Amino acid sequence: MENGSTLRRSLKLWQIVMIGLAYMTPMVVFDTFGIVSSVTDGHVPTSYVIALVGMLLTAASYGKLVRIFPTAGSAYTYTQKAISRRLGFLIGWASLLDYLFLPMVNALLTQIYLTALFPEVPSWLWVVLFVALVSFLNLRSVNLLANFNAIFVLIQIVMVVVFIILVVRGLQTGEGTGTVFSLQPFISENMNMGHIITGATILCFSFLGFDAVTTLAEETPNPKKTIPKAILYTALWGGVIFITASFFIQLFFPDVSRFHNPDAALPEIALYVGGKLFQTIFLCTTFVNTLASGMASHASVSRLLYVMGRDQVFPEKWFGYIHPKWKTPSVNVLIVGAISLSAIFFDLVTATSLINFGALMAFTSVNLCVISHFVIREKKHRTVKGFFNYLVMPILGALSVGILWFNIERSSLIMGIIWFSIGFVYLLYLTKAFSKAPPQFKEEDVVSELPDMQITS
């Protein structure tokens, strides 16, 4: 390291899980409910179950790889090590779309929410204040960030619990299905599995972020043990929250006939369930969602840029810099903050389109990396257990991601291909038209920081 500093290994398992859940934003279930309920004919929880199974397969692939490569580069590093350095660079470049634009999306959402509440305030001011706050918290300490995220996630969970209590009271007075004891949201005579799977493909994007905890691998004392658990718990507990909340929403709203605008049903859901006061409190909590997700996504992309800077893919002097006191990639935090300010000029559709492409590239690559490393190189598929763990599961994971690729929006695909092409041109420059390999940091320099008991595969 040019400045002699490294990231501080201080995060505990619960802190990492909270950062992952903050990235996913548990209350996103309310944003998508109207759309998916319409698509699935009132079976949103079933679609969430299918989406969760698909995402857990990919989460398992991340867990297998982080035990072998316990660094902060996530899919970028795994692809470098398991397949090839050139492809690793391209996956890292594509992943930047997911990581870089989510902080911008959260800034945009904050602008939309607060402009609606305070129309007299210039909308650009909310973006500046949001980015400044998120950047400040990311600069100081990853533990401070984790603790704030824990508070914000708990606020969301409390709000969901209060919502469920109000739903139960409403059901007891004859609202919706009129009973809590009903499996109708999960299964009914008129359910169509094709529609359910279509709904699941939409809901899979609610899970984006469980993989982001891998970028914190160099900030926990025992990454080979802690990070795989954190990935699994983030995806699993996020799924449990989504399924539980959507079950009670579906009981109260068996169909979308009560919604004036099913595509943006959150305000109406809160109003019908709890009245005007609850709706106001509920909408204020959506700001907490964006703040929590903004902090978590800002932290993740800062770490990915740090690894790419350490590899000298980007100028190491800036991107590979660690603040000697705070032990955070402070220059990257400021760079991400500056990029997030462009939310003043962007629109939500464009930013969201770029996120989806980057995430799917990372998910696809990670499943293939498991096969490449454990099957092709290590030959660990020759036992029944190895065949299932290292071949069957990642293939199923890749197939579940393939369904998402099939349903990706045209704008996401076009803009993603343009971004990928720019990365390919930059790779040609870095490698002098493939005459040499891309630069790469020595993994043992990171692994050597861990106790011997932690670096055994």
Side-chain angles (χ1 to χ4, degrees):
M1 273 308 27
E2 186 168 311
N3 62 340
S5 295
T6 57
L7 297 166
R8 180 182 287 124
R9 293 187 180 275
S10 58
L11 288 177
K12 298 178 178 63
L13 174 61
W14 70 268
Q15 292 175 309
I16 299 174
V17 172
M18 286 298 179
I19 291 175
L21 288 174
Y23 198 113
M24 287 172 61
T25 59
M27 287 183 66
V28 73
V29 60
F30 296 96
D31 292 309
T32 56
F33 177 82
I35 300 169
V36 181
S37 183
S38 179
V39 169
T40 62
D41 304 314
H43 297 91
V44 176
T46 307
S47 287
Y48 265 120
V49 170
I50 294 172
L52 175 60
V53 171
M55 290 297 99
L56 285 176
L57 290 168
T58 298
S61 291
Y62 272 99
K64 292 180 178 73
L65 291 167
V66 77
R67 290 188 178 95
I68 307 299
F69 312 117
T71 60
S74 193
Y76 162 69
T77 297
Y78 307 152
T79 311
Q80 271 190 335
K81 304 288 187 181
I83 301 179
S84 83
R85 286 161 68 175
R86 295 188 181 102
L87 183 59
F89 167 82
L90 291 173
I91 294 300
W93 180 268
S95 297
L96 283 175
L97 283 175
D98 176 18
Y99 289 113
L100 269 178
F101 281 88
L102 188 56
M104 185 190 299
V105 166
N106 286 301
L108 278 167
L109 289 172
T110 298
Q111 179 189 47
I112 292 168
Y113 295 149
L114 295 183
T115 298
L117 290 173
F118 307 99
E120 67 279 4
V121 178
S123 59
W124 61 265
L125 184 60
W126 298 122
V127 173
V128 173
L129 292 175
F130 178 85
V131 171
L133 176 60
V134 168
S135 299
F136 172 76
L137 292 172
N138 269 279
L139 277 174
R140 294 307 300 271
S141 163
V142 72
N143 288 86
L144 178 67
L145 174 78
N147 293 337
F148 266 102
N149 269 322
I151 293 170
F152 293 151
V153 169
L154 289 175
I155 289 172
Q156 294 180 65
I157 292 174
V158 168
M159 185 57 64
V160 171
V161 171
V162 172
F163 175 86
I164 290 173
I165 293 171
L166 292 173
V167 165
V168 171
R169 289 179 56 186
L171 292 172
Q172 291 173 342
T173 60
E175 291 281 2
T177 58
T179 177
V180 177
F181 305 102
S182 172
L183 291 178
Q184 182 178 322
F186 286 105
I187 187 169
S188 66
E189 293 180 0
N190 66 334
M191 67 185 298
N192 183 305
M193 282 308 299
H195 295 168
I196 301 293
I197 293 173
T198 300
T201 63
I202 298 171
L203 294 175
C204 276
F205 292 111
S206 301
F207 288 86
L208 299 187
F210 72 83
D211 60 312
V213 302
T214 59
T215 63
L216 303 171
E218 293 178 42
E219 290 166 276
T220 180
N222 195 346
K224 292 189 176 185
K225 180 180 179 181
T226 304
I227 297 297
K229 288 182 179 179
I231 297 167
L232 177 63
Y233 292 164
T234 299
L236 183 59
W237 285 113
V240 168
I241 293 171
F242 292 152
I243 293 167
T244 303
S246 64
F247 171 74
F248 283 98
I249 303 171
Q250 197 77 80
L251 286 176
F252 202 95
F253 303 99
D255 53 51
V256 296
S257 59
R258 292 182 70 179
F259 300 136
H260 293 94
N261 183 9
D263 290 354
L266 184 148
E268 292 183 81
I269 291 173
L271 178 64
Y272 291 137
V273 169
K276 192 66 179 177
L277 176 60
F278 179 73
Q279 182 192 43
T280 302
I281 298 171
F282 202 83
L283 290 174
C284 287
T285 310
T286 59
F287 172 69
V288 174
N289 301 348
T290 57
L291 186 58
S293 181
M295 291 193 301
S297 57
H298 202 117
S300 297
V301 68
S302 299
R303 274 69 182 171
L304 177 57
L305 289 171
Y306 162 69
V307 173
M308 298 182 84
R310 190 174 61 188
D311 280 356
Q312 299 179 354
V313 168
F314 298 139
E316 184 181 7
K317 181 178 180 180
W318 301 321
F319 292 90
Y321 177 81
I322 297 295
H323 194 281
K325 179 181 178 181
W326 300 329
K327 302 298 182 182
T328 58
S330 53
V331 174
N332 291 339
V333 170
L334 295 175
I335 290 172
V336 175
I339 293 172
S340 298
L341 286 174
S342 64
I344 297 171
F345 312 104
F346 257 82
D347 64 85
L348 195 59
V349 174
T350 302
T352 305
S353 296
L354 290 167
I355 288 173
N356 293 342
F357 182 90
L360 294 186
M361 286 292 291
F363 288 176
T364 303
S365 178
V366 164
N367 283 301
L368 296 179
C369 283
V370 171
I371 297 172
S372 176
H373 181 80
F374 292 100
V375 175
I376 297 175
R377 292 184 182 179
E378 300 289 332
K379 311 296 183 185
K380 290 189 176 182
H381 64 297
R382 292 175 177 172
T383 64
V384 173
K385 181 180 178 180
F387 183 82
F388 179 78
N389 283 336
Y390 303 122
L391 190 61
V392 174
M393 285 185 66
I395 286 176
L396 291 175
L399 289 174
S400 67
V401 177
I403 294 173
L404 297 182
W405 274 116
F406 186 75
N407 288 275
I408 193 171
E409 294 178 355
R410 180 179 174 84
S411 59
S412 298
L413 191 61
I414 292 173
M415 297 184 73
I417 290 173
I418 292 171
W419 176 260
F420 193 83
S421 300
I422 294 171
F424 185 79
V425 172
Y426 183 49
L427 179 62
L428 287 174
Y429 165 76
L430 279 178
T431 61
K432 296 184 178 179
F434 298 136
S435 63
K436 65 175 186 177
Q440 185 182 47
F441 188 72
K442 292 181 180 179
E443 181 191 353
E444 53 266 29
D445 291 346
V446 175
V447 176
S448 63
E449 299 173 20
L450 304 174
D452 290 341
M453 64 177 286
Q454 295 172 333
I455 61 175
T456 309
S457 298

